Amino acid sequence: MTTGPRISDDDRRARLGRRHLLAPALRATSVEAVADALVGLHATDPATVFLSACARLAEPSPAEVERGLYEDVTVVKLLSMRRTIFAVSTEVAPCVNSSTARTIARRERAALLKSLGGSWDGRRLAEAERAALDALAARGEATTAELTADVPDLQETLVSSPGKPYEGRQSVGSRVLRLLASDGHVRRGRPRGSWTSSLYPWAPAPSLPEMPEREAKAELARRWLASYGPSPEADLKWWTGWGVRDTRTALADAGAEAVRLGHGPGFALPGDTGPVEPAGDWAALLPGLDPTAMGWRERDWYLSPDHVPFLFDRAGNVGPTVWWNGRIVGGWARRADGEIVWRALADVGREAVAAVEAEAGRLADWLGAVRVTPRFRTPLERELVR
């Protein structure tokens, strides 16, 4: 039998609006504050970082996000939770690195050596990595193509899934640079082009402080509960990509307390078991892969199961979503002519419609002439742009 205080779905939605900085009065003034409020921003699609941050900034500005990413370098991208790229503040980066990214980097190295086959071993790979880092140091900043041209070993080609209909080829250089990024030696620099571009150079990365792995996992669990709790154990396990044992140990080390949620048992930080005052009515237009939409595996308390086929692709990636007071109520898209269009998937009422329209105007104002197409297309988003 589940014991502990009861946390209602309304209480969880009230926390979401406050802690994820979605209520207008609670918006942040810096990209670092936004990243910390969410633990990290999804960064697989480069546009997501900007759209997610600006949805939560009192004065939305791509320049503010670029400052953190490329000028002050106070927000860094790490291949970490669930083998996904997250942009995290330099305050949070050490615990993310030690708790998840280091394990993924080891797996990436083993997978690359296996793909390279008999002509490569650990020694040759290490030599290629050193050569790439030397070439980068000489250039200061360089794309994968530029570094591949400098280092002959990086020019070899890998064939993935040979003989299959989806057979592909890629240079050794692209895999080695990804590995160097996973190990924390290089970072993605300012894209060549607009902030929506995926063509970016590499730059040397500052070293991160070391943390003991168990301590780092406890700290990550504590931060996740502060942002996404109270929540089930299974949600933390899914979000981090940890196994059951590591998840339970981290929750215990974080001092998590058992609670009763609307759909079963969960955990909360000490002192976070009482009701939370809602932050007033709020609407939000969040991008595909936004960390709020992707923060939990069990989503029924903020997303109707009937709406999932419209808003997610077949791989489980969420598209652009429309929110009203802690629930996903629809989706949005930007057409080729720049118009922001949206559709509610249920009756939300006139007050919600007016608030969503205001947010659509706010989004259109700061986007200006920039066109954004999600990397992972979903049924409703495709339909809206027709």
Side-chain angles (χ1 to χ4, degrees):
M1 179 178 178
T2 304
T3 60
R6 185 178 183 277
I7 310 294
S8 71
D9 289 350
D10 285 341
D11 286 332
R12 296 180 76 187
R13 288 189 286 268
R15 285 170 169 81
L16 186 156
R18 286 185 172 278
R19 296 176 182 177
H20 289 208
L21 310 179
L22 292 169
L26 299 174
R27 289 172 182 153
T29 58
S30 71
V31 65
E32 296 87 354
V34 174
D36 285 349
L38 297 157
V39 185
L41 301 170
H42 278 255
T44 303
D45 184 340
T48 297
V49 178
F50 288 82
L51 292 165
S52 292
C54 287
R56 298 167 171 89
L57 287 172
E59 297 182 6
S61 165
E64 166 60 18
V65 183
E66 290 180 317
R67 176 197 59 75
L69 286 171
Y70 310 126
E71 296 168 16
D72 296 344
V73 195
T74 47
V75 177
V76 296
K77 295 181 180 181
L78 297 175
L79 185 65
S80 49
M81 289 74 73
R82 299 192 315 283
R83 201 169 167 270
T84 295
I85 301 174
F86 279 82
V88 300
S89 74
T90 47
E91 179 181 340
V92 176
C95 87
V96 169
N97 185 53
S98 296
S99 65
T100 60
R102 301 308 320 129
T103 298
I104 291 170
R106 290 192 291 270
R107 292 172 182 166
E108 289 284 306
R109 181 173 297 280
L112 178 54
L113 282 169
K114 183 178 180 180
S115 298
L116 288 169
S119 62
W120 285 73
D121 57 16
R123 180 177 178 179
R124 185 181 177 192
L125 177 57
E127 290 173 350
E129 289 179 286
R130 283 194 295 271
L133 290 173
D134 289 344
L136 181 60
R139 286 179 175 268
E141 188 176 273
T143 64
T144 298
E146 290 167 341
L147 293 172
T148 297
D150 291 343
V151 182
D153 273 351
L154 301 185
Q155 297 166 19
E156 291 193 21
T157 301
L158 283 171
V159 179
S160 61
S161 305
K164 304 288 186 180
Y166 45 86
E167 176 180 309
R169 294 177 179 272
Q170 61 182 163
S171 71
V172 170
S174 63
R175 292 288 298 274
V176 168
L177 267 298
R178 179 183 174 90
L179 182 59
L180 287 170
S182 298
D183 278 333
H185 297 304
V186 301
R187 63 177 179 85
R188 292 163 177 80
R190 190 188 298 269
R192 305 280 174 87
S194 77
W195 51 264
T196 64
S197 173
S198 295
L199 179 60
Y200 51 82
W202 298 99
S207 297
L208 295 174
E210 294 289 337
M211 283 186 73
E213 184 176 349
R214 182 166 174 172
E215 178 185 330
K217 287 182 175 178
E219 175 65 9
L220 187 62
R222 187 194 67 76
R223 286 182 176 274
W224 184 83
L225 283 174
S227 296
Y228 297 88
S231 290
E233 171 191 295
D235 282 353
L236 176 60
K237 175 181 176 295
W238 173 81
W239 186 85
T240 56
W242 295 337
V244 172
R245 179 181 297 179
D246 282 344
T247 303
R248 291 178 176 172
T249 299
L251 285 169
D253 290 346
E257 297 181 354
V259 296
R260 293 175 295 146
L261 303 175
H263 301 283
F267 288 92
L269 287 179
D272 189 25
T273 57
V276 173
E277 185 70 22
D281 290 336
W282 59 269
L285 274 65
L286 301 183
L289 298 180
D290 186 84
T292 298
M294 295 293 289
W296 300 266
R297 187 177 187 180
E298 299 177 17
R299 303 175 176 130
D300 289 2
W301 59 279
Y302 67 90
L303 171 65
S304 168
D306 293 339
H307 299 164
V308 171
F310 299 94
L311 299 170
F312 287 74
D313 69 10
R314 293 181 180 179
N317 300 302
V318 71
T321 51
V322 175
W323 293 71
W324 174 244
N325 288 344
R327 289 184 174 90
I328 296 177
V329 297
W332 66 274
R334 190 170 210 202
R335 291 179 173 159
D337 64 1
E339 181 186 6
I340 301 290
V341 290
W342 67 281
R343 180 183 301 166
L345 295 172
D347 183 11
V348 295
R350 287 181 296 178
E351 186 177 356
V353 169
V356 172
E357 288 289 349
E359 279 302 298
R362 179 175 178 263
L363 175 60
D365 285 345
W366 76 258
L367 277 176
V370 175
R371 299 291 177 263
V372 178
T373 301
R375 177 168 293 184
F376 303 103
R377 310 293 299 278
T378 54
L380 182 56
E381 188 271 334
R382 288 181 181 275
E383 185 176 341
L384 288 173
V385 297
R386 289 176 185 168

